[in-house]
Amino acid sequence: MLSKVISAAYLMLWISSCAAAEDPYMTRALQLMSETPLIDGHNDLPWQLRMQFNNELNKVDLNTLDTTHTNIPKIKEGRLGAQFWSAYVPCESQYKDAVRQTLEQIDVVHRMCQKYPETFMFATSSHDIMTAFSMNKTASLIGVEGGHSLDSSLGTLRLMYQLGVRYLTLTHSCNTPWADNWLVDTGADPSEHNGLSAFGKQLIAEMNRLGMLIDLAHVTQAVMHQVLDMSAAPVIFSHSSAYSVCPHKRNVPDDVLRRVNETRGIVMVNFYNDYVTCSKTANLSDVADHFDHIKKVGGAGIVGFGGDYDGVGRLPEGLEDVSKVPKVVAELLRRGWSDVDVKAALGNNLLRVLSHNEGVRDGLRDKSPDDVPIPYDEVKNTCRTSYGYQTLNTGAVHSLSTLGLLLTLALHAVTT
């Protein structure tokens, strides 16, 4: 059975190669993708594994799975060089079992790599991505989608980093006890922190110390600017598009695009129709419009791919699953993008951002972990105990080491 699946995958590759022979832009796209890894910032296949199979991988074969946007033959046809798999759990789990569920999503990514070692290589660094690419495997990284997954714990953040998590989306579609989410900008949710709380700023500093990418998809514009003000490392938007093309609050406005350029970060374009055209329908050209706009405003150095496959219900015509992504590359070439700019968007931009974060981490290696907890009153609820807090009305007071780190980050941000 496996041999038949492999044969089918190679047949799909042969068919796509024949199609490329008739389209010089596709021929060039596939050549560039053979030289530079396509790195996608966000894919929700792990959530589909939970919802469809309760994470029982023994009950599913990713070679033949046909109920998702992503499977192994589609990955091969789409030339997916590296993927940040999303360890996502819903906001309803906040204050309940968010940490446990998130750990289970991290676990399922590890087990997926172990079950299909010929396809996936677990990765935690820019070096790992290139190693996997040289082996013709998809580098598999993890991003945690939503700060509620931490239960407001810096210790949990550190442990997730040790388990391989390399970015944290600060919020999903709910406020945390320390950050406001994007729905605040729509008026649907109230602002609770005017962006980040004091603890939220502690968390940003600790992420810089760890070398964990800060993902600003899903946050308010206030949070975007506060993080860009203080982070010593470049940030990512793992799956967001251009607000000027589609004025949805999940997208990135032009003033932020310019700041992302100044701080050498990246905006990875989301393919969800509602964020592409602000309507139920979209097409390949509409997606390319976002790439063009981000490049025009912030430069080719801040553009990337963040398709959001298996996390959305509507995708553009022509981009129905991960196998179709080379079409975007061909369209950019058709629009006059240079090979250098296309390679930047494919993967070189993300590799640079990840490497820069690793460099900031290495520069802060002598800094102690921040062990000052969030004030108990900011997280008090019926599911939480107060062990360790001396009095219930006392909270986090910045230690001298934390204040020093915050000052160091602020000075670094001013001088870089």
Side-chain angles (χ1 to χ4, degrees), residues 79-132:
R79 270 68 167 187
L80 183 61
Q83 180 67 66
F84 280 90
W85 302 106
S86 176
Y88 160 78
V89 299
C91 282
E92 289 80 4
S93 65
Q94 185 163 215
Y95 310 121
K96 299 173 185 174
D97 56 353
V99 174
R100 174 185 63 80
Q101 287 202 41
T102 303
L103 291 175
E104 291 172 350
Q105 295 310 104
I106 293 170
D107 170 69
V108 82
V109 175
H110 279 276
R111 289 189 289 119
M112 184 174 75
C113 294
Q114 292 162 3
K115 183 175 180 180
Y116 303 99
E118 70 288 347
T119 299
F120 303 116
M121 183 186 119
F122 191 76
T124 61
S125 68
S126 53
H127 179 267
D128 287 349
I129 291 173
M130 294 310 298
T131 299

Side-chain angles (χ1 to χ4, degrees), residues 186-205:
T186 72
D189 282 357
S191 173
E192 297 180 29
H193 314 291
N194 193 27
L196 291 171
S197 72
F199 180 80
K201 294 174 182 177
Q202 274 183 259
L203 185 132
I204 298 304

Side-chain angles (χ1 to χ4, degrees), residues 393-414:
N393 62 353
T394 61
V397 177
H398 285 304
S399 65
L400 290 177
S401 62
T402 302
L403 285 173
L405 179 54
L406 289 169
L407 179 59
T408 299
L409 296 177
L411 290 173
H412 190 283
V414 169

Side-chain angles (χ1 to χ4, degrees), residues 284-323:
L284 170 63
S285 181
D286 296 322
V287 172
D289 289 344
H290 285 267
F291 281 84
D292 276 345
H293 183 82
I294 294 170
K295 177 173 175 280
K296 177 182 177 181
V297 174
I302 73 165
V303 190
F305 288 75
D308 209 359
Y309 282 108
D310 282 307
V312 297
R314 289 180 291 274
L315 286 161
E317 182 181 354
L319 294 174
E320 292 83 2
D321 59 57
V322 298
S323 73

Side-chain angles (χ1 to χ4, degrees), residues 195-403:
L196 291 171
S197 72
F199 180 80
K201 294 174 182 177
Q202 274 183 259
L203 185 132
I204 298 304
E206 187 67 357
M207 290 180 70
N208 280 170
R209 191 192 67 81
L210 288 169
M212 185 182 288
L213 300 173
I214 301 164
D215 179 19
L216 298 181
H218 284 280
V219 301
T220 61
Q221 292 184 32
V223 173
M224 295 177 194
H225 285 288
Q226 288 170 346
V227 172
L228 288 166
D229 284 342
M230 70 172 294
S231 177
V235 304
I236 70 169
F237 288 80
S238 67
H239 57 306
S240 297
S241 297
Y243 184 85
S244 288
V245 179
C246 167
H248 193 291
K249 294 299 184 180
R250 271 282 284 105
N251 288 336
V252 187
D254 285 357
D255 62 328
V256 175
L257 291 177
R258 285 187 281 269
R259 293 201 66 191
V260 172
N261 176 42
E262 293 165 1
T263 54
R264 294 177 56 78
I266 187 171
V267 177
M268 309 179 86
V269 175
N270 192 314
F271 294 178
Y272 182 37
N273 290 354
D274 298 48
Y275 304 160
V276 172
T277 61
C278 291
S279 70
K280 305 302 182 187
T281 60
N283 58 39
L284 170 63
S285 181
D286 296 322
V287 172
D289 289 344
H290 285 267
F291 281 84
D292 276 345
H293 183 82
I294 294 170
K295 177 173 175 280
K296 177 182 177 181
V297 174
I302 73 165
V303 190
F305 288 75
D308 209 359
Y309 282 108
D310 282 307
V312 297
R314 289 180 291 274
L315 286 161
E317 182 181 354
L319 294 174
E320 292 83 2
D321 59 57
V322 298
S323 73
K324 313 295 186 184
V325 177
K327 293 182 178 181
V328 178
V329 184
E331 176 63 18
L332 297 181
L333 291 168
R334 188 173 289 110
R335 292 181 177 212
W337 283 48
S338 70
D339 289 0
V340 171
D341 288 350
V342 167
K343 285 186 170 186
L346 279 172
N348 286 341
N349 288 338
L350 190 282
L351 287 169
R352 184 201 70 244
V353 170
L354 184 54
S355 295
H356 194 155
N357 274 262
E358 292 163 354
V360 170
R361 173 201 65 198
D362 295 344
L364 295 171
R365 66 169 60 90
D366 294 333
K367 295 291 183 181
S368 298
D370 183 354
D371 58 4
V372 180
I374 191 169
Y376 181 74
D377 286 345
E378 295 180 14
V379 289
K380 183 178 180 180
N381 62 71
T382 56
C383 295
R384 195 182 195 96
T385 60
S386 61
Y387 298 118
Y389 289 92
Q390 297 304 307
T391 59
L392 296 187
N393 62 353
T394 61
V397 177
H398 285 304
S399 65
L400 290 177
S401 62
T402 302
L403 285 173

